[in-house]
Amino acid sequence: MKKSVEIIGFPIISISAGEEIGKVKSIVINPEKGSVDFLTVEHEDWQVSVKAIPFQKIIGIGEYAITVESSHSILDLNEIPIANQLINKKVSITGARVMTRVGELVGEITEYYVNETNGQVISVDVSTAEQNNFEVSSEYIITYGENLIILNEEFPTGDVETREVEKAPAQVESKKTLHFSTTANQERVDELDRKQDELLEGKQATKNIVNSHGETVVTKGAVLTKSEIDQLKQYGPSVMVELSMNVK
């Protein structure tokens, strides 16, 4: 598996020509499949057109480069409309806020891991307001949005420090998988609620937020206080999701 940061900027090597034919500019996520479907490519000779490699055309992602059969593996976006559609969705996993299905704000994604064989997202690293990092398997991701990832609230967590599982299989047992009783679940919900408050408090709304009746409950430019956040929770998860996606 590869970190996203280990893919972006990588040189792309043509096996048939034995030369570099570009560098990876960005990763294009398919939110329906939870996978990397394309890599956009930059090259100093391409001034206007945007080009991309379908992930299935990649032969290998090594330690120093990505290999493809030839330059014909790189296509103009005009030739692959689906890539254009995915790019326009603007799904970026790194930096996205993480929220549970029941509307609790967990933290932000700092990194994600990709299966270099099929492009599937394997897991994500999440950072909380207290800078505590933990890993969540992609099987618990319900939705990949433009700036928001929705998780099943029953997700277990593992320490980021134990990430090198492939290099050290024995470390698998050291992963922290949490199992909660009813009391522990409530404590966890309370903790997530507190973290949500910390992530929103002091932030400024970048647009008007309305409730289900179309009434403005937060005006653009308002700086959120703890008491205002508590009041906004009465409007339900949809308002909190909208708010979390539109603050800075």
Side-chain angles (χ1 to χ4, degrees):
M1 82 191 111
K2 290 288 183 183
K3 293 181 179 181
S4 67
V5 72
E6 294 175 333
I7 297 175
I8 295 175
F10 250 31
I12 301 164
I13 304 298
S14 163
I15 292 177
S16 61
E19 63 182 11
E20 181 179 321
I21 54 176
K23 286 183 174 20
V24 177
K25 182 177 182 180
S26 66
I27 296 173
V28 182
I29 300 293
N30 184 322
E32 273 70 48
K33 298 194 302 181
S35 64
V36 176
D37 277 16
F38 299 91
L39 302 177
T40 64
V41 182
E42 61 180 352
H43 192 285
E44 59 184 13
D45 294 336
W46 304 334
Q47 299 299 319
V48 180
S49 62
V50 179
K51 300 181 183 293
I53 300 175
F55 200 90
Q56 62 187 15
K57 294 284 189 181
I58 294 173
I59 293 177
I61 303 178
E63 186 176 354
Y64 302 107
I66 290 174
T67 56
V68 295
E69 188 61 43
S70 70
S71 59
H72 296 300
S73 301
I74 299 178
L75 307 176
D76 192 287
L77 282 189
N78 292 328
E79 302 175 40
I80 39 178
I82 182 62
N84 258 323
Q85 294 172 21
L86 293 177
I87 288 173
N88 289 334
K89 288 180 183 291
K90 299 179 181 178
V91 174
S92 178
I93 298 179
T94 302
R97 289 184 175 85
V98 181
M99 181 172 284
T100 66
R101 184 174 56 90
V102 294
E104 301 294 344
L105 192 59
V106 180
E108 294 185 359
I109 293 178
T110 57
E111 183 55 275
Y112 61 99
Y113 301 82
V114 177
N115 183 317
E116 63 261 52
T117 301
N118 58 23
Q120 285 296 132
V121 175
I122 297 172
S123 64
V124 298
D125 289 343
V126 180
S127 177
T128 68
E130 299 87 353
Q131 301 302 309
N132 294 325
N133 293 341
F134 59 88
E135 175 201 350
V136 179
S137 170
S138 62
E139 66 182 289
Y140 294 95
I141 297 177
I142 298 172
T143 304
Y144 292 87
E146 181 177 340
N147 297 303
L148 187 69
I149 302 294
I150 306 295
L151 298 179
N152 184 313
E153 67 274 14
E154 299 300 326
F155 67 91
T157 64
D159 284 341
V160 171
E161 287 75 12
T162 63
R163 198 62 194 78
E164 300 297 322
V165 175
E166 288 188 339
K167 295 182 180 178
Q171 292 183 6
V172 172
E173 293 302 319
S174 69
K175 302 283 283 182
K176 286 187 179 178
T177 301
L178 308 181
H179 301 280
F180 299 96
S181 64
T182 302
T183 301
N185 272 327
Q186 184 56 51
E187 291 176 351
R188 187 175 189 225
V189 169
D190 292 342
E191 176 68 8
L192 289 174
D193 190 57
R194 183 179 63 79
K195 290 175 179 177
Q196 174 179 259
D197 292 350
E198 291 176 350
L199 286 168
L200 291 176
E201 188 174 358
K203 296 292 180 66
Q204 185 178 46
T206 58
K207 61 175 284 189
N208 288 343
I209 306 297
V210 300
N211 61 20
S212 58
H213 302 295
E215 301 167 335
T216 299
V217 293
V218 179
T219 57
K220 180 180 179 180
V223 177
L224 300 171
T225 65
K226 176 66 167 62
S227 60
E228 288 171 334
I229 295 168
D230 289 338
Q231 291 174 4
L232 289 170
K233 291 175 184 176
Q234 67 178 305
Y235 298 112
S238 61
V239 166
M240 298 307 293
V241 169
E242 184 74 8
L243 180 62
S244 67
M245 293 175 62
N246 293 283
V247 294
K248 64 178 182 179

